[in-house]
Amino acid sequence: MKSSSVDRRRFLQTAGAGLVGFPTIIPSSLWGGTPPNDRITIGAIGLGPRCESVMKHFFTFPDFQWLAVCDVQQGRLDRGKGWVDEHHQNRDCLAYTDFRELLANDKIDAVLIATGDRWHALASILAAKAGKDIYSEKPMSLTIEEGRAVVSAMKRFGSVYQCGHQRRSVDSYRFQNEIVRSGKIGRVHTVIAQNWENPIIKPDAPQQVPPGLDYDMWLGPTPYHPFIPTRFREWNYYWDTGGGTLINMGCHYTDIAQWGFETDDTGPVHFEGTAEFIANNAVDTPVRAEVTCTYGDGRKLVLKSRGTFPERYLRFEGSEGWIRVDDETDLITADPPSILRIRGSQARGWEAAGDHIKDFLDCIRSRRETICSPEKSHRATTIGHIANTCCRLGRSLQWDPAAERFVNDAEADRTIARSMRPPWHL
Amino acid sequence: LETRRSKRKYAVIKQTSIRAGAAILLTLLLFASLLQGADRRDDIVKILTGLQNYHYGDDPSKVRALEQIVREIAREPESSRQLEGEILRILASDQTSLPAKGLLSRQLSVVGSDQSLPTLRSMLMMEQTAELACMAVRGILTEQATLMLHEVMEQAGETTQVGIINLLGERGERASVPVLIGRISGNSSEAVLLSAAAALGKIGTEAAAKALGDARRRSSAALRPQLTQAYLQCAQTLARQGKPAVARQIYGELAAKQEPLVVRRAALVGTIELGGQEALAEVSKVLKGADLQLKSVAISESVRLKGTEVTRQLISAMGHLEPWHQALLLEALVERGDDSLVRPVIVQALEAEASVVREAAIRSMAGIGDASSVGLLVKIAEQGHPSQQAALFALGRISGPGIEAALLESLARTGPQLRPALIRITEIRGFTEAIPFLKVQALSKETESAVASLRALGALAGPSELPALLQILMQCQDRALARSAEAAVVSVARKVRPEQRPAEAVIALLARQSEPAVRSSLIRVLAGIGGERSLTVIEQSAGDADAEVRDTAIREIADWKNAEALPALADLLAGSPEAVHRILLLRGFTRLLQLPARRSPEETLRWYRKGLESVATVEEKRLVLSGLAAVPSPGALALVHPFLQDETVRDEAQVALDRIIGRIEAQSLFDGKTLEGWEGDLDIFTVEDGTIVAGSLEQNNPRSGYLRTRTSARDFELRVTAKLAGPGDNGGVQFRSRYDEGSKRMSGYQADMGSLRGDQPINLWGCLYDEGRRNKLLVIADQEKLKRVFKPGDWNNMVIRAIGKRIQVWVNGERVTDYVEEDDSIWQEGIFALQVHGGPPCKVWYKDIWLKKLE
C-alpha cells in the first residue's frame, strides 16, 4: 500500500468509521467570524431528476443555505425553486435561466452542478473562476481535454471540487474497497464493471422548440442540432451530448476500480474490446460493448455495456477470492464466504450521498482535497472516454497516462478534444 | 468462382478483425460488400452520395454506414486520404444539405488533413458552415492550418472570429500570439477581446503575459475579472512551461490587498505551487496575518512544500492561529512525516485548552504515536468523555514496535471502566498475544470485561484453545455470560472444517453433566457445531426428563441450519408436543423445506404431507400453506385444494394456489410459425404474422370452425391473447371438450369471446358456454369489470383456470367468471380448441397460447 501524505490524511479522516466510531471532526461553529457566515450558501445549476435526488441529501445538512436555482427549462426552474422554498420555509430562492448570472451572485459560496454532461466541465470551470466551490455530477467531462482543464482550473483558483462519484462514500463500495485493500481476496488481478446497454431509438424529425425552453443554452458548447424530442430526452446516448453508459455509469465503476487498484493518479495503458452498432439506430453510441482496459502491470478492468439497468454490478477478482456489489440491490457477495461474516451481505446503497456531501462540506471549511478530487475523478473519467474512443474507432489503443496522449496514434489523439460552439471555450 | 470469392471474403474479414482489435457487428448488408476490397471506392462514393440529401430524422443507417467506413479505413493513410477526398467533394457541393455537411465535418475531424484546408476555409467564410468547419479543423494540427486560421480571422464575422480565436487558444501555438495581442489591444468587440485574452492565457508566452498585464491594468471594471482570469491562466501555463519567474511576478501582483478574495486565493495557491523560499515566506505571512480563509488554504497547500525547514516554520506559526486552524495545522503537520519534530508539538497539544485542538492532537496520535504514547492515550481515555472516543480511535490505529506489549500492560492496569473498550481494541487489532490475559478476564467478576473478553476470544482464538474455552463455559456462573461463552466456543469451532469440530468432546461432556443449565449450554454449543452426530444427541435430549433441557433441544432442532433435521422435526411433530413447541417445530419444518435443496418436488411434498398430519390450529395451517406456496408442482395444488373449503384459511389457500400456479412452468401450444400440434379445420385456420387467423370480414363464414389440440387436460391454466373483428364477431376457447369424428361435432365448455348484440347486449368475453352439450350460457361474465378492462377491437388477454369443479376466467387480469359445476354427470377432462363462429362476417386472431397442466 502506498503511503503518500494524502493517504495518511485520508486515513486519519475517514478510516475506522466501522471500527471505533469517533465524532465529527469539524464543528461548524468554529468557522468564520459572525454566525451567519457559518452557513455555506449554495445554488443549484440544472434541476432535473438527478438534482432532485442529490439535493434531498444536501437538505439533510443545515450547514447549507440554499440561495438560488438555475435551469433552461421554465417548468424545471419553477419546480426547483419550489424544493428550496419548501426546505427553507420561505419564498426567497432566486431563479435564474442563465447560470452565468447565478455565478455572478457574490453571495453564493458553492454550487451543485447537475446539468447534462455537456455542461459539467465548463460550468465547473466558470464556477471556479467566480470563486465558488463545486459539487459536480458525473461524468465530470465530455472529453479528456475538458477533464484536464477542470483539474487545472480547480488548482488555479484553489476551489474545492467534489465529483459526484458518490460510491466512494457509500457503505457497500467502501466495504468492498476495505476488503480488497486488506488482501482478503489475495492479489487483485481483474475488475469487472457491468453497466446496462444503450437503447435503440427510432429516427425522429425535428420539431419546434417547446415554449419555456432556452434551447440554445441547452445545447451550449455542443454542435448545433435542431430540437428532436427523443434526442433531447435521451441526450445521454449521443456522442455530441453524452457517451452512453460506458461513461455515464462507467465512470462510477472506473472510479472505484482505480481506488481499489490504488492507481488514482494514473490509468490503464492498453484498451481493446468489441462494440455492436445497430444500423437503423438513431443513437450513435454502440448498443452493446465490452472494453478491457489493461494496466502496465497486467491488471485488467473490464467495462461491459450490456443487459438491463438492474443488472449492473462491480466485481473485484483476486488470486484468493472475489467480492461483488450489485448496484441495484446493494447486495454484497464474496468468496471466501468468511468475508461476509465481517458484516452482513446487505449494505446501505449507492443513493445515500450523505457522506459524500459531508466530505464536501468538511473540505469547504478546511480547504482540503475531497475524496473525489479533480485529479482522481479525471483519471477515472478518462478511462471511460478512452473506452468510448476504442468503440468509435473500432480498434485497440495504447495510452500513455503520464503524457495523457495515445502512443504514436495521431488519429486517436484527435478524440481527446472537441471544438466548442462559439462563444464557448474552456 | 463462387468458392474463391467467398474464401477471399472470409480472409479479408478475418484480417480486418485482427487489425481492428475490436470486432464491429453491424446488421447492414452493405458492409459485407465493403469488405471485398475491389469495389470499396465505389461503395464509399455510393454511401457519401446517398448522404448528400440527408435530413434530420432520416433513416440513420446511412450515417452508421459512414461511421463504419471511417472506422475501417481511417488508419490506412492511403485510403484515408482517398476517403477525405470524397468527403471534401461532397462537402464542397452546393447540392449537399446542411445536416449532411454536419455529419461529414464530424468525420473530417478524424480523417482531415491539409488537403481539407481550402474547403474548410471557404466553409469558415460562410456563417452557416463556419461552426462545422471549426469542428473539422480542430483535429488538423498543422502549421498550414494555423496560418489558414490567422488569415480567415481577418475577414470573418464576429462569431466566427471568436470561434477561431478559441481554436487558436486550444492549439497553443506561439505563432498566434502577435495576432491575438492585436485583438486585445485594438478596438475589438468585447467578445473578441475576451476570447483573445483567454487564448493568450492558454498559450502563455512572456509576451502574452505582458500584453495581458497591460490590458488588465487599463481595462474597465466590467472586463477586469475575465482579464484577471486570463492573466492567472497565463501564470499557470508559464509555470508549467518552466518559467517560474514571470509566473511568480504575476502571482505577486495578484496577491495585493485590493484584489478580490478568489484572486488572492489563486495567487497564494500559485505561489505555493511554485515552491521555494518565496512560497514558504508567503505561507508564513498568511499564517501570521488576519485572513481566515487564506489561512485554511495556506495550511492545506503547505503539504506540497517539502523539507524540515518548512515543518519548523509551520510549527512556529502555531501560536498565531486560533483553535480551529491549529487543529487543521496539527493534521497537516502529521502528514509531513517529520515525526521527531512534530511529535512534541502534538504531545503538547494534548493538553490544549480548546477541545477541537485537543481532539485533533489525540487523533493524530494514530499516525504519529509510538509505544510510549499508548500509556498516554489510555490515560486520556480513562478521563472519559469527550476525548475518550478520539483516544480509542488512536489506540485502534496506532502502529509500531512494542504497541501490543504496551497495550497489554495498560489492559492489566486500567480499571473496570475502560477495560471493556481496551479489550475491544485488542479484538480489532487482531492481537493474539492477549489470549492468555483474555482467558483469565473471561472469568472475571467484571461482567462487561468478561463479555468483551469472550467476544474477543471468539474472534482471536484458534481451535487449540477449544478445551480451555469449554472449561470456561463450564465455570460460568452467570447465564448471560454463559451465552457469550457458548458463542465464543461456537465461533472458534466453526473456524475448522465440519468433520474436525469437537462434537465428540462436547457430547462426552454433556453425558457427564447433570445440571440442566449446563446441559442446555452444551446443547446449544452442539447445535452451533452442527453435524448429524450432534443432531442425534440433541434429538435424544428433546425427550429428556428435565423441562429446560427438553425446551433447549427442541428449540435448537427447530432452528437447525440445514435439511438434515427434517426427519427429526417430523418425528417430534408426530409426538404431539406442547403448543409452543409445535409452532416452533412447524416453523422450522417449513423453513427448512424452503431452503434450496437437491430434493425433487415430490420428495418435498412427501414431507409436507407428513407435516400436515399434525396440523391443527389456524396458525399452523397458515405456516404450511405459506411453505406449500413455494413448491412449483401440481402435487402442491392437490395438497392446498382441500383448504379452500376451510373458512379459517381460505384466503391463504387462495394465495398459495395462485403462487404455485404462477411458479409451474408453462408450455407453449403455438410456435408462432406453424400449426404443428393442432388438428381440425386446417382449411379455415392459417398462420399469418405470428398469429393464428380464421374467418373472413368480406363474407359470411359458412360454418363454425375448430382448431383442436391433441393435448387433453383436466386441471389446467390456459393463457391466450386474441382479437376479434366483424359484425358477427364470435370465437372462443373450448376446453375439457370432446370431438366426435362421426358427427364432426365439438362438445364441452367454451370460454366465449365476442359480443351478443340486441336490446340487451352482452360482452361475451369470459362467459361460459356449454357447446354441443347443454347449449346454453352457463354463466355471464361480470359486465362491470369487463367495461373497465376490455379493449374493444384490440388484443385482449384471457386466462382460463379449471381445477376440480371450479372454473375461473380472467380477462386482462381481471377475474370475470367464477363457476362451480354442480352437475356430476358433466365430464371434466378433454381437449382444447380455438373457435371461429359461423355466420355473419367475423375474423379471429389468436396468439401467445400457453398451457400449464395442474394435475
Side-chain angles (χ1 to χ4, degrees):
Chain A
M1 183 166 168
K2 254 188 327 191
S3 171
S4 69
S5 63
V6 175
D7 279 354
R8 197 168 182 186
R9 165 191 280 175
R10 275 282 152 209
F11 166 83
L12 293 177
Q13 273 179 339
T14 60
L19 304 173
V20 183
F22 67 98
T24 317
I25 60 162
I26 301 163
S28 58
S29 58
L30 282 163
W31 178 248
T34 49
N37 292 348
D38 235 24
R39 300 182 89 186
I40 308 290
T41 52
I42 185 166
I45 302 170
L47 305 170
R50 184 60 195 151
C51 178
E52 183 174 10
S53 158
V54 178
M55 208 188 234
K56 272 190 197 129
H57 292 288
F58 266 95
F59 282 168
T60 62
F61 294 89
D63 313 62
F64 288 107
Q65 168 82 30
W66 288 82
L67 291 192
V69 290
C70 173
D71 202 287
V72 294
Q73 298 181 61
Q74 190 61 46
R76 288 189 169 186
L77 185 59
D78 296 340
R79 219 159 50 103
K81 175 174 158 56
W83 301 331
V84 171
D85 284 344
E86 196 196 319
H87 174 61
H88 287 313
Q89 290 295 304
N90 59 30
R91 316 209 27 89
D92 300 345
C93 177
L94 299 167
Y96 297 97
T97 50
D98 186 329
F99 74 95
R100 288 169 295 187
E101 289 172 24
L102 184 148
L103 294 179
N105 184 334
D106 278 342
K107 294 199 179 68
I108 297 174
D109 299 329
V111 287
L112 162 63
I113 297 171
T115 57
D117 300 0
R118 62 200 172 283
W119 275 119
H120 287 166
L122 207 47
S124 297
I125 292 170
L126 290 172
K129 288 180 173 173
K132 318 288 187 212
D133 293 325
I134 295 127
Y135 184 108
S136 167
E137 262 311 317
K138 51 86 229 179
M140 75 188 292
S141 59
L142 210 53
T143 62
I144 296 170
E145 185 194 50
E146 277 189 6
R148 182 43 71 198
V150 171
V151 178
S152 46
M154 296 310 139
K155 177 81 242 172
R156 191 154 73 246
F157 292 97
S159 294
V160 169
Y161 174 95
Q162 176 82 302
C163 183
H165 293 156
Q166 83 285 357
R167 281 170 180 75
R168 246 190 226 226
S169 298
V170 305
D171 186 35
S172 44
Y173 292 96
R174 227 188 311 197
F175 176 68
Q176 184 183 43
N177 200 264
E178 260 178 53
I179 293 300
V180 167
R181 287 185 176 225
S182 67
K184 288 197 167 57
I185 60 168
R187 201 192 78 88
V188 177
H189 51 74
T190 308
V191 172
I192 298 171
Q194 157 93 29
N195 308 286
W196 66 98
E197 61 193 46
N198 293 323
I200 298 173
I201 293 177
K202 280 188 201 153
D204 202 358
Q207 288 185 14
Q208 199 83 42
V209 175
L213 165 66
D214 183 347
Y215 185 60
D216 187 68
M217 199 64 180
W218 185 91
L219 280 172
T222 64
Y224 176 77
H225 198 286
F227 178 82
I228 293 181
T230 45
R231 202 180 153 99
F232 175 72
R233 268 197 311 276
E234 307 288 343
W235 52 262
N236 200 358
Y237 302 107
Y238 295 84
W239 293 129
D240 275 358
T241 44
T245 60
L246 276 187
I247 188 75
N248 175 51
M249 180 64 204
C251 65
H252 276 301
Y253 287 151
T254 54
D255 180 57
I256 300 292
Q258 290 264 101
W259 192 27
F261 279 165
E262 299 181 49
T263 50
D264 270 332
D265 54 354
T266 173
V269 296
H270 181 79
F271 294 74
E272 69 175 37
T274 57
E276 258 175 75
F277 293 87
I278 301 292
N280 55 354
N281 192 2
V283 165
D284 49 9
T285 50
V287 167
R288 279 172 290 275
E290 178 169 328
V291 178
T292 300
C293 321
T294 310
Y295 288 76
D297 57 7
R299 290 184 291 181
K300 286 186 192 324
L301 164 58
V302 185
L303 296 175
K304 294 182 179 187
S305 168
R306 60 181 69 247
T308 60
F309 179 74
E311 291 172 65
R312 60 202 193 279
Y313 68 83
L314 184 69
R315 176 183 162 114
F316 280 82
E317 293 179 350
S319 53
E320 283 155 45
W322 53 266
I323 178 163
R324 159 173 163 156
V325 175
D326 275 81
D327 210 61
E328 182 71 6
T329 53
D330 306 317
L331 192 72
I332 302 170
T333 42
D335 189 71
S338 60
I339 288 170
L340 294 177
R341 245 176 265 141
I342 298 170
R343 50 163 296 158
S345 57
Q346 192 63 51
R348 247 179 349 107
W350 63 272
E351 275 201 52
D355 287 354
H356 208 53
I357 294 165
K358 171 78 168 62
D359 181 65
F360 178 53
L361 179 63
D362 288 347
C363 293
I364 289 177
R365 293 192 164 125
S366 65
R367 308 314 297 173
R368 290 196 269 215
E369 203 164 73
T370 55
I371 189 161
C372 287
S373 69
E375 180 74 33
K376 290 179 195 171
S377 308
H378 167 59
R379 293 293 184 169
T381 309
T382 297
I383 299 174
H385 287 320
I386 301 174
N388 267 340
T389 298
C390 200
C391 297
R392 292 191 78 172
L393 299 183
R395 57 187 175 81
S396 58
L397 298 168
Q398 297 284 344
W399 175 249
D400 174 352
E404 297 202 293
R405 282 281 172 276
F406 291 93
V407 179
N408 297 326
D409 192 340
E411 189 204 0
D413 277 344
R414 291 179 176 202
T415 65
I416 292 174
R418 294 185 207 170
S419 67
M420 288 184 163
R421 206 162 59 99
W424 302 106
H425 61 88
L426 283 172
Chain B
L1 186 74
E2 261 319 299
T3 325
R4 267 181 60 197
R5 199 178 155 84
S6 62
K7 252 187 192 160
R8 182 164 162 230
K9 183 173 157 189
Y10 171 73
V12 176
I13 289 173
K14 204 173 153 203
Q15 187 197 344
T16 308
S17 83
I18 290 169
R19 193 188 56 232
I24 307 299
L25 215 137
L26 262 143
T27 50
L28 208 69
L29 278 173
L30 197 52
F31 300 134
S33 64
L34 241 183
L35 293 168
Q36 283 171 13
D39 304 328
R40 173 180 271 182
R41 199 197 147 123
D42 289 349
D43 285 326
I44 293 173
V45 172
K46 208 186 293 169
I47 289 172
L48 288 174
T49 317
L51 269 173
Q52 205 166 6
N53 291 318
Y54 174 80
H55 283 281
Y56 301 113
D58 282 0
D59 175 9
S61 46
K62 285 185 271 182
V63 186
R64 301 290 89 84
L66 171 67
E67 289 160 358
Q68 176 65 5
I69 294 176
V70 174
R71 260 194 289 278
E72 281 172 13
I73 65 181
R75 254 222 141 176
E76 306 162 38
E78 201 183 319
S79 343
S80 183
R81 291 294 75 79
Q82 198 182 65
L83 173 63
E84 184 188 3
E86 296 301 334
I87 289 178
L88 289 171
R89 201 172 53 78
I90 307 282
L91 260 182
S93 162
D94 293 342
Q95 308 299 311
T96 307
S97 69
L98 198 59
K101 287 185 178 173
L103 293 170
L104 295 172
S105 302
R106 280 175 178 77
Q107 298 312 320
L108 219 48
S109 72
V110 179
V111 296
S113 70
D114 282 348
Q115 191 189 169
S116 294
L117 294 178
T119 308
L120 293 177
R121 184 196 181 103
S122 37
M123 283 173 71
L124 279 169
M125 297 304 291
M126 280 185 292
E127 209 176 315
Q128 261 196 325
T129 49
E131 184 205 332
L132 302 179
C134 285
M135 210 184 315
V137 89
R138 179 69 179 85
I140 309 175
L141 297 172
T142 60
E143 211 174 306
Q144 281 97 315
T146 310
L147 284 175
M148 187 271 280
L149 289 173
H150 289 172
E151 280 169 36
V152 177
M153 200 167 82
E154 301 298 328
Q155 303 151 45
E158 185 184 292
T159 310
T160 306
Q161 240 187 87
V162 169
I164 291 173
I165 292 171
N166 292 343
L167 279 179
L168 292 175
E170 306 300 347
R171 299 166 77 88
E173 286 191 40
R174 303 169 70 93
S176 303
V177 170
V179 187
L180 293 170
I181 288 180
R183 287 294 183 283
I184 60 166
S185 37
N187 39 11
S188 309
S189 71
E190 192 179 302
V192 169
L193 186 148
L194 290 177
S195 63
L200 281 170
K202 280 178 222 170
I203 301 172
T205 63
E206 285 167 53
K210 184 172 178 311
L212 283 171
D214 291 346
R216 182 177 166 276
R217 277 184 288 278
R218 60 166 194 267
S219 77
S220 66
L223 296 184
R224 206 175 163 91
Q226 297 195 58
L227 287 167
T228 306
Q229 288 157 11
Y231 203 31
L232 274 166
Q233 167 87 67
C234 194
Q236 194 181 38
T237 314
L238 285 165
R240 302 245 155 105
Q241 288 168 354
K243 292 180 190 130
V246 192
R248 188 168 282 131
Q249 186 204 320
I250 295 176
Y251 292 138
E253 188 181 336
L254 294 180
K257 268 202 170 54
Q258 69 273 19
E259 296 295 340
L261 178 67
V262 55
V263 175
R264 280 183 290 139
R265 188 170 78 192
L268 175 60
V269 173
T271 303
I272 297 175
E273 199 185 14
L274 288 172
Q277 281 306 313
E278 295 90 339
L280 181 55
E282 191 64 21
V283 167
S284 299
K285 196 175 97 190
V286 169
L287 290 184
K288 289 168 187 169
D291 192 312
L292 293 176
Q293 263 224 26
L294 288 187
K295 281 190 194 188
S296 301
V297 175
I299 293 169
S300 173
E301 295 290 320
S302 70
V303 179
R304 292 171 204 285
L305 302 176
K306 303 293 172 213
T308 48
E309 179 48 31
V310 180
T311 311
R312 275 197 195 90
Q313 291 259 352
L314 289 173
I315 291 171
S316 76
M318 186 70 91
H320 298 271
L321 301 174
E322 83 309 349
W324 158 241
H325 282 123
Q326 282 186 7
L328 285 183
L329 184 56
L330 283 181
E331 291 183 2
L333 283 171
V334 172
E335 285 163 40
R336 304 193 58 79
D338 289 330
D339 290 4
S340 58
L341 281 175
V342 173
R343 198 174 290 121
V345 181
I346 302 283
V347 170
Q348 199 188 348
L350 290 173
E351 314 270 299
E353 207 170 305
S355 65
V356 65
V357 180
R358 241 172 19 238
E359 277 170 38
I362 298 169
R363 250 188 345 270
S364 299
M365 282 299 207
I368 209 169
D370 55 19
S372 69
S373 317
V374 172
L376 196 59
L377 287 168
V378 169
K379 205 184 281 169
I380 292 168
E382 278 168 346
Q383 289 158 12
H385 200 67
S387 303
Q388 188 177 66
Q389 285 294 312
L392 290 175
F393 169 81
L395 283 169
R397 290 274 161 173
I398 193 169
S399 63
I403 301 280
E404 261 57 35
L407 201 56
L408 200 54
E409 210 182 298
S410 300
L411 254 178
R413 219 183 36 231
T414 191
Q417 237 91 54
L418 191 65
R419 195 172 288 125
L422 290 186
I423 291 171
R424 174 100 176 100
I425 281 171
T426 62
E427 182 190 336
I428 291 165
R429 300 184 65 99
F431 178 21
T432 48
E433 285 85 343
I435 288 174
F437 173 83
L438 293 172
K439 283 196 288 193
V440 176
Q441 203 63 35
L443 289 167
S444 134
K445 292 214 164 39
E446 298 164 15
T447 314
E448 269 187 70
S449 292
V451 169
S453 298
L454 286 166
R455 194 194 141 120
L457 282 168
L460 301 175
S464 63
E465 299 288 352
L466 274 170
L469 286 172
L470 276 170
Q471 273 310 309
I472 292 172
L473 172 59
M474 307 306 293
Q475 290 171 45
C476 278
Q477 302 295 327
D478 183 296
R479 287 226 162 186
L481 219 51
R483 287 294 178 119
S484 296
E486 288 160 23
V489 174
V490 171
S491 156
V492 176
R494 292 185 76 90
K495 288 178 187 175
V496 294
R497 280 206 296 275
E499 63 276 13
Q500 293 169 335
R501 291 178 193 157
E504 288 307 330
V506 179
I507 290 166
L509 215 50
L510 180 63
R512 289 201 299 274
Q513 297 298 321
S514 56
E515 180 64 37
V518 178
R519 292 174 65 208
S520 295
S521 259
L522 291 171
I523 287 170
R524 280 190 291 269
V525 169
L526 266 185
I529 288 171
E532 280 182 40
R533 179 85 176 102
S534 302
L535 182 61
T536 312
V537 172
I538 299 176
E539 197 184 352
Q540 283 161 12
S541 306
D544 197 271
D546 182 81
E548 185 185 347
V549 173
R550 222 165 43 231
D551 182 70
T552 307
I554 288 176
R555 282 173 192 272
E556 291 305 325
I557 292 174
D559 281 348
W560 206 258
K561 301 280 181 296
N562 55 43
E564 68 191 8
L566 277 173
L569 280 164
D571 287 350
L572 288 169
L573 273 169
S576 53
E578 52 192 282
V580 178
H581 288 159
R582 283 171 64 85
I583 281 291
L584 287 174
L585 290 168
L586 211 51
R587 209 175 274 159
F589 189 68
T590 50
R591 178 180 53 80
L592 291 185
L593 282 172
Q594 286 177 67
L595 291 178
R598 284 178 192 280
R599 261 192 330 267
S600 66
E602 287 67 39
E603 205 184 331
T604 304
L605 288 175
R606 265 203 299 284
W607 283 113
Y608 272 114
R609 226 167 276 133
K610 223 169 154 83
L612 278 171
E613 287 165 9
S614 59
V615 158
T617 67
V618 176
E619 196 183 341
E620 291 169 9
K621 286 176 194 165
R622 281 190 187 134
L623 267 174
V624 175
L625 282 172
S626 76
L628 278 170
V631 186
S633 149
L637 288 175
L639 288 182
V640 171
H641 218 246
F643 289 99
L644 286 172
Q645 319 306 328
D646 185 336
E647 293 257 337
T648 57
V649 290
R650 179 176 291 156
D651 290 348
E652 287 86 351
Q654 188 58 54
V655 171
L657 210 64
D658 290 343
R659 291 230 173 109
I660 296 166
I661 293 172
R663 282 176 188 172
I664 289 174
E665 213 171 308
Q667 60 184 105
S668 174
L669 296 185
F670 172 46
D671 63 11
K673 295 183 213 95
T674 66
L675 291 180
E676 204 170 314
W678 298 86
E679 56 192 8
D681 296 320
L682 295 174
D683 52 334
I684 297 180
F685 288 85
T686 53
V687 178
E688 282 171 23
D689 292 337
T691 59
I692 299 175
V693 188
S696 160
L697 290 176
E698 283 78 39
Q699 58 194 50
N700 284 358
N701 293 323
R703 62 182 171 90
S704 293
Y706 292 99
L707 187 65
R708 311 188 302 268
T709 62
R710 294 195 182 92
T711 307
S712 158
R714 189 180 69 239
D715 293 347
F716 67 89
E717 185 181 281
L718 183 89
R719 291 171 180 268
V720 59
T721 303
K723 186 163 80 171
L724 270 65
D729 62 332
N730 195 320
V733 178
Q734 291 291 139
F735 58 94
R736 292 182 172 178
S737 293
R738 293 176 183 174
Y739 177 71
D740 185 50
E741 282 292 347
S743 63
K744 311 270 182 220
R745 283 180 60 94
M746 176 67 70
S747 51
Y749 295 108
Q750 184 189 119
D752 217 335
M753 297 171 178
S755 46
L756 205 61
R757 296 182 169 80
D759 294 343
Q760 285 174 311
I762 297 175
N763 186 340
L764 287 174
W765 281 74
C767 295
L768 271 193
Y769 184 75
D770 213 31
E771 177 75 36
R773 194 163 48 185
R774 286 169 282 185
N775 290 319
K776 61 168 185 175
L777 272 174
L778 299 174
V779 54
I780 293 178
D782 188 324
Q783 297 292 307
E784 285 305 309
K785 285 185 182 167
L786 278 173
K787 245 177 232 160
R788 219 166 47 239
V789 299
F790 184 74
K791 293 177 276 185
D794 202 347
W795 292 102
N796 285 282
N797 173 272
M798 183 189 268
V799 178
I800 307 157
R801 186 191 283 178
I803 301 175
K805 297 273 184 182
R806 192 167 187 201
I807 297 165
Q808 294 163 299
V809 185
W810 284 259
V811 172
N812 293 337
E814 192 75 58
R815 195 173 70 195
V816 294
T817 289
D818 194 348
Y819 174 76
V820 179
E821 183 59 72
E822 282 172 357
D823 185 343
D824 285 341
S825 68
I826 297 296
W827 68 82
Q828 297 295 346
E829 181 161 6
I831 57 165
F832 299 89
L834 307 175
Q835 188 212 33
V836 59
H837 210 278
C842 158
K843 198 166 176 182
V844 296
W845 292 265
Y846 295 100
K847 64 175 182 181
D848 300 336
I849 309 167
W850 293 88
L851 173 68
K852 286 183 181 181
K853 286 200 176 184
L854 308 179
E855 53 203 27

